[in-house]
């Protein structure tokens, strides 16, 4: 399958690489690393990495704008369904390739490479480069490493396998990364965010079934000087609370006029609940966007039921 993908890449002079809305390090690093790898292998090709960026991820590189798409190949990374593709109208492209590690939702591409057992889309791209004529250099390897580390939450999730460690080990051996520098890119954050994390730790509501959640209004976020997306990202920091098996941050995003829900689990499968509320994601890491705090009540109830069932079965 990787060879088939590279054959398509070889065929097109213009290649656009897109990924999901709500950019995160795995989506953006895989996108920019693949762009750089294609440019390194085929210097004459026009390759663009598109989508809305975030200043937080400037360390990963710059995104492009494209106009006037003609006879181009679209590669969509880290995105299981059409509606979540950022900035690309798939109807404008001659052919489409999907490369993803989310559970399957729908087919929208001519070639679809999906491996939901992989820690990250970056891990798939590392594999693809290893097994094909696509070239890589230290910077490409560093990008892919940072995306993988971020999406596996520093090798915390179950889709971190022996192959993941082998992949990372081979990269480190080859390129001798400065880990402290790379981790500072991914994990350094302002004190304001740490203070908000402290607030969440103090005020998280925990049900008797093991659901932990917190509602963060815009007023509160302004007080802490943290935007809603960064607040949502804090969900990754509550993995090991004994009394909590599923947890969610529910934060008001007035810029996009939505309530942002970020959900994580240490046991119960939660993505079907996120899907019920027009969201989605992985079995243990999902998200959704709702219109009001009132609407979130029924989602909270559903998550609590899932926790209760899980505890009973255990
Ligand atoms: P996050 O909590 O934003 O890091 O997202 C965790 C996982 O859920 C990622 O795989 C996202 O792609 C997915 N996800 C988050 N929000 C949504 C949404 N509104 N719709 C579908 N998938 C989502």
């Amino acid at each position: 399958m990787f060879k088939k993908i590279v054959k398509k890449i070889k065929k097109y002079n213009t290649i656009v690489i897109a990924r999901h809305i709500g950019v995160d390090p795995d989506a953006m690093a895989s996108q920019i690393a693949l762009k750089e790898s294609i440019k390194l292998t085929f210097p004459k090709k026009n390759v663009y990495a598109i989508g809305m960026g975030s200043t937080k991820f400037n360390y990963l590189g710059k995104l492009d704008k494209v106009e006037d798409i003609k006879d181009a190949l679209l590669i969509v990374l880290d995105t299981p369904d059409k509606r979540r593709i950022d900035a690309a109208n798939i109807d404008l492209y001659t052919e489409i390739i999907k490369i993803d590690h989310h559970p399957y939702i729908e087919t929208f591409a001519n070639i679809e490479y999906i491996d939901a057992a992989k820690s990250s889309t970056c891990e798939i791209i590392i594999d693809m480069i290893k097994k094909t004529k696509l070239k890589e250099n230290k910077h490409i390897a560093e990008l892919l490493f940072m995306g993988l580390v971020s999406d596996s939450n520093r090798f915390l999730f179950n889709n971190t396998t022996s192959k993941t460690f082998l992949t990372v080990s081979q990269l480190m051996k080859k390129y001798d990364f400065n880990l402290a520098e790379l981790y500072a890119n991914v994990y350094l954050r302002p004190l304001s965010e740490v203070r908000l994390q402290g607030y969440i730790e103090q005020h998280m509501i925990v049900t008797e079934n093991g659901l932990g959640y917190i509602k963060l209004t815009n007023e509160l976020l302004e007080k802490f000087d943290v935007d809603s997306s960064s607040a949502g990202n804090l969900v990754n920091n509550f993995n090991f609370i004994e009394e909590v098996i599923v947890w969610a941050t529910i934060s008001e995003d007035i810029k996009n006029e939505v309530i942002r829900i970020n959900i994580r689990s240490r046991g119960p499968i939660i993505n079907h609940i996120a899907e019920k509320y027009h969201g989605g994601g992985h079995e243990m890491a999902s998200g959704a966007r709702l219109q009001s705090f009132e609407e979130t009540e029924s989602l909270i109830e559903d998550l609590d039921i899932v926790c209760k069932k899980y505890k009973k079965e255990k």
Side-chain angles (χ1 to χ4, degrees):
M1 182 78 104
F2 286 147
K3 293 228 164 82
K4 213 167 141 189
I5 292 174
V6 175
K7 224 168 149 184
K8 290 287 178 204
I9 291 173
K10 213 171 152 193
K11 182 175 152 194
Y12 286 86
N13 278 330
T14 304
I15 298 158
V16 175
I17 307 173
R19 41 76 191 158
H20 61 74
I21 49 173
V23 61
D24 63 34
D26 182 39
M28 186 159 160
S30 58
Q31 190 183 25
I32 293 185
L34 182 59
K35 173 188 162 176
E36 289 189 11
S37 171
I38 296 172
K39 285 296 285 178
L40 198 64
T41 319
F42 307 103
K44 288 188 183 149
K45 290 191 189 295
N46 303 310
V47 191
Y48 306 96
I50 63 163
M52 174 85 95
S54 160
T55 48
K56 252 193 327 223
F57 305 136
N58 280 351
Y59 66 89
L60 295 171
K62 280 207 174 108
L63 293 161
D64 309 301
K65 290 234 154 17
V66 277
E67 283 157 16
D68 234 9
I69 297 301
K70 270 195 203 90
D71 195 25
L73 172 69
L74 176 69
I75 304 178
V76 180
L77 299 178
D78 201 31
T79 313
D81 49 352
K82 229 174 7 195
R83 76 183 171 101
R84 295 258 301 157
I85 303 172
D86 191 358
N89 176 356
I90 63 172
D91 298 331
L92 300 178
Y93 293 85
T94 313
E95 284 188 278
I96 305 166
I97 293 171
K98 178 208 277 185
I99 302 174
D100 189 24
H101 78 126
H102 288 88
Y104 173 81
I105 292 185
E106 65 176 358
T107 303
F108 61 77
N110 307 87
I111 299 178
E112 302 220 336
Y113 184 95
I114 301 166
D115 188 350
K118 282 281 189 290
S119 66
S120 53
T121 300
C122 282
E123 189 180 341
I124 301 177
I125 301 295
I126 297 170
D127 236 25
M128 182 161 90
I129 290 175
K130 205 160 59 185
K131 291 179 180 155
T132 62
K133 64 190 277 190
L134 285 178
K135 291 182 183 166
E136 125 205 302
N137 56 26
K138 186 173 182 187
H139 184 241
I140 292 169
E142 284 174 344
L143 286 170
L144 292 166
F145 173 77
M146 288 189 283
L148 186 160
V149 164
S150 174
D151 229 44
S152 65
N153 204 356
R154 267 178 282 181
F155 310 104
L156 215 61
F157 297 146
N158 262 350
N159 51 6
T160 299
T161 62
S162 59
K163 273 194 198 149
T164 316
F165 283 114
L166 189 66
T167 301
V168 167
S169 162
Q170 286 170 345
L171 269 198
M172 286 188 67
K173 195 168 173 198
K174 199 163 164 193
Y175 292 110
D176 191 23
F177 296 146
N178 182 336
L179 278 186
E181 232 172 60
L182 298 183
Y183 281 135
N185 278 330
V186 183
Y187 292 109
L188 209 62
R189 57 204 176 117
L191 184 61
S192 54
E193 258 182 59
V194 181
R195 295 219 195 278
L196 178 63
Q197 183 174 321
Y199 175 91
I200 297 172
E201 284 160 356
Q202 292 286 334
H203 295 91
M204 179 188 280
I205 295 170
V206 180
T207 69
E208 60 179 347
N209 297 317
L211 172 69
Y213 65 94
I214 183 107
K215 291 184 183 178
L216 304 166
T217 61
N218 180 60
E219 193 185 346
L220 185 101
L221 294 178
E222 276 185 352
K223 199 169 119 200
F224 278 91
D225 194 21
V226 175
D227 64 64
S228 147
S229 146
S230 307
N233 264 335
L234 292 175
V235 77
N236 292 314
N237 300 337
F238 307 112
N239 289 67
F240 295 111
I241 303 171
E242 216 173 287
E243 291 82 355
V244 174
I245 50 173
V246 171
W247 60 102
T249 54
I250 301 166
S251 45
E252 190 174 11
D253 178 350
I254 54 157
K255 214 165 90 189
N256 296 305
E257 296 181 344
V258 290
I259 307 292
R260 186 188 291 264
I261 328 277
N262 301 73
I263 318 164
R264 297 292 183 269
S265 171
R266 254 187 328 110
I269 291 171
I270 45 156
N271 55 350
H272 61 287
I273 305 287
E275 281 161 21
K276 182 175 163 191
Y277 294 87
H278 312 294
H282 305 281
E283 286 186 349
M284 306 285 152
S286 297
R289 306 282 178 270
L290 295 183
Q291 293 308 312
S292 65
F293 277 117
E294 290 75 59
E295 272 186 69
T296 66
E297 286 305 322
S298 120
L299 185 147
I300 291 168
E301 248 173 61
D302 284 344
L303 289 175
D304 198 43
I305 291 168
V306 161
C307 290
K308 192 174 179 179
K309 267 195 198 146
Y310 179 83
K311 275 199 161 172
K312 208 170 156 197
E313 280 159 18
K314 283 256 146 183

